[in-house]
């Protein structure tokens, strides 16, 4: 604010500077406020929106919940966050923020200067040409330039230490110039720098106003006079100002006079406070009021005078200091540039030297290592070859040994296998032998049974079922031999008893003959003696029986009764049924004369029954044997 | 069958045949003896002839009866064991 006067008063070095400065200093003088209402609204809304987005971005990086809210509910929030992440805002610290803000301010300044310098085109063109050439060189030494800026920063700090008063100014300007200042426009740089310095002012208040709300970006360092805070920083609220504001209401008579002074000078405010205390004290003691009133008045006037004096002195001092500061700024800028250039040159030279030295060293080391490696490789190869040869020989021996062992094992296995096979074969043979033996036994048994059956059939056919009686001793003997060969005790016993009798020689009456004999001869004659008593039967009883038997009814069928005629009827019935056994049993019951008459027939029937029973026994045995065999 | 020695059922028939033959022989012998006696001794009387025929027939009957019941011997009696035990 104060700079406006001296700068405008200064004799213009170049038209560029003057115009630029005027343009730059115009926005802070709040005179054209009413003319730019629309612009102000636009700017403020832009600033507010930008602040909101930037602040939201940082807040989103701080809190996860707000991050989600911001990406989902705020338009362009996601793109904003992605941009911020691409620019590494989330890892941004205070220093980096400072540096980046400086960079942005500088670029903005450059843009502003470029746009503002539309009128002084001749100079600006020259400057642009120079900038273009400069940019080419700058790109060529991009790496070293960063290092140079680091060195410059260090140098700047030393400079600031030497110049205690202008430290902040020089530092600020040096940082601003660290990237923007070039060699070719070294002379115009001082003027340009001031122009940039002032051109920065209109942007800073706008930016700095909103962030003052959050207390995290408070700038505590002392600010040089006439300089504003960097964007995003706020001045700490002055702690001393509230005090006088509190006191002034108490000293109603004095405060109006001193209110303008106390606001700028805390010491005077303190003094005024003391006087107020005194007045309060005096008012509290009405006795001393008269005496003290004049003294208080004098003190008040003195104080006012003092304040005025201080104000004036300060004003003078300020103008003086301003001029001095400008001068010093220029000097230090020049010095700074020289130092920077020298440091840059030196650094470039050093870097080239270092690079060359590094290349040489690398080549040398590479060579040495390669030689060493080759030597090592050779020795290693020899060693490995030697070891390989030994290993090959050892492995050959080992393999031979293993082969021999394996062959032995194989031979043993083969032999064992053959022996096992032979054993198996012999076992199989034995099994086969046993099977064959069993089979032959079965066969023999079968043959024996078969022959037994044949003999039995022969005996049966010749003895029992032949139409005439004929002897069967030959057949019986064959059957008996077969039964004895089979060691069948039952059959043997039956056949032995049969053979011991004379039945085989005589033969057996056929059943038909027996039946006919009984029906035609035996039964009528027996019925004639049916009435003969068993004992003392003389000629007369026989004649009477013969005479009266013919008068009896002839009975037929299976009739009951123990008399001779009933028995005869039952025997006849049984014989009709071909049951010789039952018929014989019935007739055997008779006694007396009838028994005498029946003797021959009974004997023949009994012989036949004996043979039949023996043959039945043998047949049962043969059936059992055949069942056992199968 | 018929060639065989007589079988048991023809036993009675044989006895009857023998009895008849014996009766004829003994009765004929008695009749002849009675005719001789009556002519020689009894002046041709008839009663000796009938008597001797009767003797012959009676002897034939006794023989026949004995053949049917050989146990019946005059003066003897066959008793059963029970009866013997009673005595």
């Amino acid at each position: 604010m104060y700079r406006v006067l001296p700068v405008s008063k200064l004799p213009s070095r170049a038209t560029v500077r003057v115009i630029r400065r005027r343009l730059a200093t115009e926005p802070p003088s709040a005179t054209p406020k009413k003319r730019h209402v629309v612009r102000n609204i636009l700017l403020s809304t832009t600033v507010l929106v930008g602040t909101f987005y930037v602040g939201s971005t940082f807040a989103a990086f701080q809190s996860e919940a707000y991050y989600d809210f911001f990406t989902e509910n705020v338009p362009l929030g996601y793109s904003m966050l992605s941009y911020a992440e691409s620019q590494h805002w989330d890892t941004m610290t205070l220093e980096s923020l400072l540096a980046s803000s400086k960079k942005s301010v500088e670029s903005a300044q450059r843009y502003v200067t470029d746009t503002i310098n539309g009128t002084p085109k001749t100079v600006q063109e020259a400057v642009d040409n120079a900038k273009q050439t400069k940019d080419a060189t700058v790109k060529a030494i991009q790496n070293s330039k960063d290092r140079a800026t680091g060195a410059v920063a260090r140098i700047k700090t030393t400079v600031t230490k030497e110049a205690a008063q202008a430290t902040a100014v020089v530092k600020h300007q040096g940082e601003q110039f660290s990237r923007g200042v070039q060699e070719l426009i070294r002379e115009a740089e001082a003027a340009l720098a001031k122009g940039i310095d002032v051109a920065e002012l209109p942007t800073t208040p706008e930016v700095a106003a909103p962030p003052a709300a959050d207390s995290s970006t408070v700038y505590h360092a002392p600010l040089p006079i006439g300089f504003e805070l960097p964007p995003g920083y706020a001045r700490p609220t002055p702690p001393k100002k509230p005090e006088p504001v509190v006191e002034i209401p108490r000293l109603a008579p004095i405060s109006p006079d001193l209110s303008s002074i106390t606001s700028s000078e805390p010491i005077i405010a303190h003094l005024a406070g003391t006087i107020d205390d005194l007045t309060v004290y005096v008012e509290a003691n009405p006795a001393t009021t008269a005496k003290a009133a004049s003294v208080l008045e004098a003190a008040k006037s003195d104080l006012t005078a003092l304040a005025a004096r201080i104000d004036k002195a300060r004003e003078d001092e300020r103008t003086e200091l301003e001029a001095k500061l400008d001068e010093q700024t220029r000097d230090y800028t020049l010095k700074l540039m020289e130092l920077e250039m020298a440091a840059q040159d030196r650094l470039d030279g050093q870097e080239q030297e270092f690079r060359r030295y590094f290349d040489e060293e690398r080549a040398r080391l590479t060579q040495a290592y390669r030689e060493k490696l080759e030597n090592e490789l050779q020795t290693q190869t020899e060693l490995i070859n030697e070891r390989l040869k030994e290993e090959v020989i050892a492995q050959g021996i080992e393999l031979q040994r293993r082969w021999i062992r394996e062959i032995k094992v194989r031979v043993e296995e083969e032999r064992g296998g053959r022996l096992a096979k032979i054993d198996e074969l012999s076992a199989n043979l034995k099994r086969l032998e046993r099977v064959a033996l069993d089979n032959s036994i079965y066969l023999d048994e079968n043959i024996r049974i078969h022959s037994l059956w044949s003999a039995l059939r022969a005996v049966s056919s010749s003895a029992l079922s032949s139409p005439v009686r004929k002897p069967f001793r030959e057949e019986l003997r064959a059957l008996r031999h077969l039964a004895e060969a089979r060691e069948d005790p039952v059959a043997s016993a039956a056949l032995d008893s049969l053979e011991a009798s004379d039945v085989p020689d005589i033969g057996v009456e056929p059943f038909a003959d027996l039946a006919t004999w009984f029906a035609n001869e035996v039964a009528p004659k027996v019925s004639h003696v049916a009435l003969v008593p068993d004992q003392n039967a003389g000629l007369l009883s026989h004649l009477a029986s013969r005479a009266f038997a013919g008068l009896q009814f002839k009975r037929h069928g299976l009739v009951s009764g123990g008399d001779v005629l009933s028995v005869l009827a039952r025997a006849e019935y049984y014989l009709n049924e071909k049951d010789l056994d039952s018929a014989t049993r019935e007739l055997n019951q008779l006694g007396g004369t009838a028994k005498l008459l029946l003797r021959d027939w009974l004997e023949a029937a009994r012989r036949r029954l004996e043979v039949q029973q023996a043959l039945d026994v043998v047949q049962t045995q043969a059936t059992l044997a055949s069942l056992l065999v199968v | 069958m018929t060639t065989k020695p007589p079988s048991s059922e023809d036993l009675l028939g044989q006895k009857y045949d023998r009895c008849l033959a014996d009766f004829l022989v003994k009765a004929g012998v008695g009749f002849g003896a009675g005719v001789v006696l009556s002519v020689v001794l009894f002046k041709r009387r008839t009663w000796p002839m009938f008597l001797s025929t009767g003797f012959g027939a009676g002897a034939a009957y006794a023989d026949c009866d004995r053949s049917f019941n050989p146990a019946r011997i005059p003066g003897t009696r066959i008793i059963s064991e029970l009866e013997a035990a009673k005595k």
Side-chain angles (χ1 to χ4, degrees):
Chain A
M1 291 222 277
Y2 293 110
R3 194 186 280 182
V4 176
L5 269 175
V7 166
S8 61
K9 269 184 237 170
L10 273 171
S12 60
R13 280 192 187 179
T15 48
V16 181
R17 244 174 68 188
V18 171
I19 288 161
R20 194 182 297 166
R21 186 161 299 173
R22 193 174 295 154
L23 284 169
T25 47
E26 263 164 9
S29 65
T31 44
K33 236 180 188 176
K34 280 160 192 172
R35 284 188 300 176
H36 304 298
V37 174
V38 176
R39 194 188 69 176
N40 280 345
I41 287 167
L42 272 175
L43 278 175
S44 54
T45 50
T46 312
V47 165
L48 278 173
V49 167
T51 312
F52 167 71
Y53 271 102
V54 171
S56 294
T57 309
F58 281 105
F61 285 134
Q62 290 300 319
S63 106
E64 198 68 29
Y66 188 72
Y67 188 95
D68 295 340
F69 171 77
F70 188 60
T71 47
E72 284 167 13
N73 295 341
V74 180
L76 290 175
Y78 181 71
S79 54
M80 183 68 196
L81 278 176
S82 59
Y83 172 76
E85 277 168 3
S86 70
Q87 295 292 320
H88 304 294
W89 281 14
D90 46 349
T91 57
M92 194 179 280
T93 56
L94 207 62
E95 285 84 41
S96 65
L97 192 65
L98 259 176
S100 66
S101 68
K102 273 171 206 160
K103 209 189 283 179
S104 65
V105 163
E106 184 201 333
S107 63
Q109 158 226 336
R110 205 177 303 154
Y111 176 70
V112 168
T113 49
D114 290 351
T115 48
I116 286 172
N117 294 356
T119 45
K121 262 187 179 173
T122 52
V123 179
Q124 192 57 42
E125 275 170 10
V127 169
D128 286 344
N129 290 338
K131 270 186 181 176
Q132 280 170 5
T133 53
K134 169 209 67 182
D135 283 342
T137 55
V138 161
K139 276 171 193 167
I141 53 164
Q142 195 63 39
N143 297 334
S144 57
K145 193 177 170 186
D146 289 333
R147 250 177 286 161
T149 49
V152 166
R154 250 178 289 148
I155 292 158
K156 265 182 271 164
T157 51
T158 55
V159 168
T160 46
K161 275 173 194 167
E162 286 169 9
Q165 276 189 336
T167 314
V169 182
V170 170
K171 192 177 167 189
H172 204 65
Q173 284 177 346
E175 281 177 2
Q176 279 179 342
F177 293 148
S178 61
R179 288 179 188 84
V181 173
Q182 282 78 30
E183 304 113 87
L184 294 181
I185 48 164
R186 203 180 300 168
E187 286 180 21
E189 210 56 287
L192 272 172
K194 278 193 177 175
I196 290 155
D197 182 18
V198 181
E200 179 194 32
L201 289 174
T203 60
T204 43
E206 290 165 4
V207 179
D214 55 344
S215 58
S216 63
T217 56
V218 175
Y219 192 81
H220 289 285
L223 271 175
I225 300 165
F227 281 85
E228 293 296 330
L229 287 167
Y233 284 81
R235 195 194 295 273
T237 49
K240 290 147 194 172
K241 273 183 187 173
E243 289 176 17
V245 170
V246 175
E247 287 165 6
I248 285 163
R250 284 202 296 168
L251 10 135
I254 309 163
S255 55
D257 300 333
L258 297 173
S259 61
S260 60
I261 305 158
T262 49
S263 62
S264 60
E265 286 295 329
I267 300 167
I268 288 170
H270 188 67
L271 206 54
T274 319
I275 290 165
D276 283 344
D277 287 345
L278 272 175
T279 35
V280 168
Y281 176 71
V282 165
E283 279 167 2
N285 301 321
T288 56
T289 316
K291 272 193 277 179
S294 61
V295 181
L296 278 171
E297 280 302 313
K300 268 183 214 170
S301 61
D302 283 357
L303 192 59
T304 342
L306 184 64
R309 181 83 184 274
I310 285 166
D311 223 2
K312 194 166 169 271
R314 206 197 298 168
E315 201 72 21
D316 291 350
E317 191 77 14
R318 195 170 290 172
T319 48
E320 211 172 306
L321 266 171
E322 198 83 13
K324 221 194 293 179
L325 276 173
D326 279 350
E327 198 71 26
Q328 273 181 349
T329 305
R330 225 170 296 132
D331 288 354
Y332 280 120
T333 311
L334 282 175
K335 251 187 233 172
L336 183 73
M337 295 314 300
E338 281 167 13
L339 279 170
E340 193 177 341
M341 286 306 301
Q344 204 160 341
D345 286 349
R346 210 168 54 201
L347 279 169
D348 288 352
Q350 254 184 0
E351 193 191 344
Q352 272 180 0
E353 204 172 325
F354 278 148
R355 191 168 292 167
R356 191 157 37 82
Y357 181 67
F358 171 70
D359 284 348
E360 279 175 12
E361 275 292 308
R362 197 170 56 180
R364 202 158 53 78
L365 281 173
T366 311
Q367 189 68 23
Y369 271 110
R370 195 167 293 160
E371 279 175 12
K372 210 165 157 191
L373 269 174
E374 273 171 9
N375 280 340
E376 280 285 314
L377 209 68
Q378 206 165 345
T379 52
Q380 287 285 339
T381 313
E382 281 171 9
L383 276 173
I384 285 166
N385 279 341
E386 195 73 22
R387 211 188 301 156
L388 275 175
K389 215 177 282 176
E390 284 175 8
E391 275 184 9
V392 164
I393 290 163
Q395 258 186 354
I397 292 164
E398 180 69 23
L399 272 177
Q400 251 176 354
R401 209 174 294 157
R402 203 183 296 164
W403 282 338
I404 288 164
R405 213 179 305 143
E406 204 166 317
I407 284 164
K408 271 184 190 169
V409 168
R410 285 271 171 85
V411 166
E412 286 296 319
E413 276 181 7
E414 190 77 17
R415 197 181 294 161
R418 294 250 169 108
L419 283 173
K421 244 177 222 171
I422 286 165
D423 281 351
E424 199 180 336
L425 275 176
S426 69
N428 279 340
L429 208 64
K430 267 178 192 168
R431 215 176 304 146
L432 203 66
E433 204 175 88
R434 206 177 309 134
V435 168
L437 275 175
D438 289 353
N439 209 7
S440 72
I441 285 166
Y442 278 128
L443 276 175
D444 284 355
E445 195 72 22
N446 267 326
I447 288 164
R448 219 170 291 152
I449 285 163
H450 182 70
S451 53
L452 184 69
W453 267 106
S454 299
L456 184 65
R457 265 195 294 276
V459 169
S460 176
S461 67
S462 69
L464 295 179
S465 38
S466 70
V468 292
R469 188 179 67 178
K470 59 181 177 183
F472 55 94
R473 185 164 283 281
E474 287 303 314
E475 289 91 339
L476 185 67
R477 192 184 295 132
L479 179 63
R480 198 177 68 92
H481 283 162
L482 282 171
E484 272 174 0
R486 283 197 62 251
E487 292 171 355
D488 194 345
V490 182
S492 296
L495 292 175
D496 277 341
S497 67
L498 188 59
E499 202 180 22
S501 64
D502 54 350
V503 178
D505 296 326
I506 299 163
V508 175
E509 291 285 344
F511 180 77
D513 282 0
L514 274 176
T516 315
W517 185 9
F518 178 77
N520 292 343
E521 309 218 4
V522 177
K525 281 168 184 165
V526 171
S527 67
H528 284 166
V529 294
L531 299 174
V532 174
D534 289 345
Q535 290 171 2
N536 291 327
L539 175 65
L540 282 177
S541 56
H542 278 93
L543 287 172
S545 169
R546 177 143 194 172
F548 291 113
L551 298 176
Q552 279 181 324
F553 292 110
K554 198 154 177 84
R555 311 182 80 168
H556 290 287
L558 198 63
V559 291
S560 58
D563 59 316
V564 177
L565 286 178
S566 300
V567 171
L568 280 176
R570 281 206 297 273
E572 197 176 2
Y573 169 77
Y574 281 131
L575 281 176
N576 286 336
E577 295 289 320
K578 297 196 186 302
D579 191 355
L580 183 63
D581 190 22
S582 299
T584 312
R585 283 178 198 282
E586 287 291 339
L587 294 176
N588 205 25
Q589 292 173 11
L590 294 174
T593 321
K595 187 80 175 269
L596 281 175
L597 296 185
L598 279 170
R599 205 191 61 227
D600 275 358
W601 189 89
L602 276 177
E603 198 173 332
R606 207 173 286 130
R607 273 206 302 272
R608 183 178 171 83
L609 283 173
E610 274 175 11
V611 172
Q612 208 171 343
Q613 194 178 21
L615 287 182
D616 275 347
V617 168
V618 175
Q619 187 179 354
T620 309
Q621 286 299 115
T623 309
L624 183 66
S626 70
L627 282 173
L628 279 174
V629 162
V630 170
Chain B
M1 274 194 272
T2 49
T3 56
K4 282 198 301 184
S7 62
S8 58
E9 67 267 17
D10 295 329
L11 213 73
L12 278 180
Q14 280 178 339
K15 281 182 182 175
Y16 282 129
D17 289 348
R18 262 186 221 135
C19 277
L20 186 61
D22 192 37
F23 176 76
L24 286 177
V25 167
K26 287 190 173 155
V29 168
F31 179 72
V35 167
V36 168
L37 275 178
S38 78
V39 167
V40 169
L41 293 179
F42 301 106
K43 307 162 195 177
R44 288 169 75 182
R45 284 214 192 147
T46 53
W47 57 274
M49 184 183 65
F50 285 109
L51 187 70
S52 60
T53 307
F55 280 146
Y61 169 75
D63 284 344
C64 187
D65 195 30
R66 212 176 287 119
S67 78
F68 276 99
N69 191 5
R72 185 181 287 178
I73 300 157
T76 61
R77 210 173 110 228
I78 294 171
I79 52 169
S80 65
E81 285 182 10
L82 283 171
E83 279 176 80
K86 275 178 189 172
K87 281 184 180 176

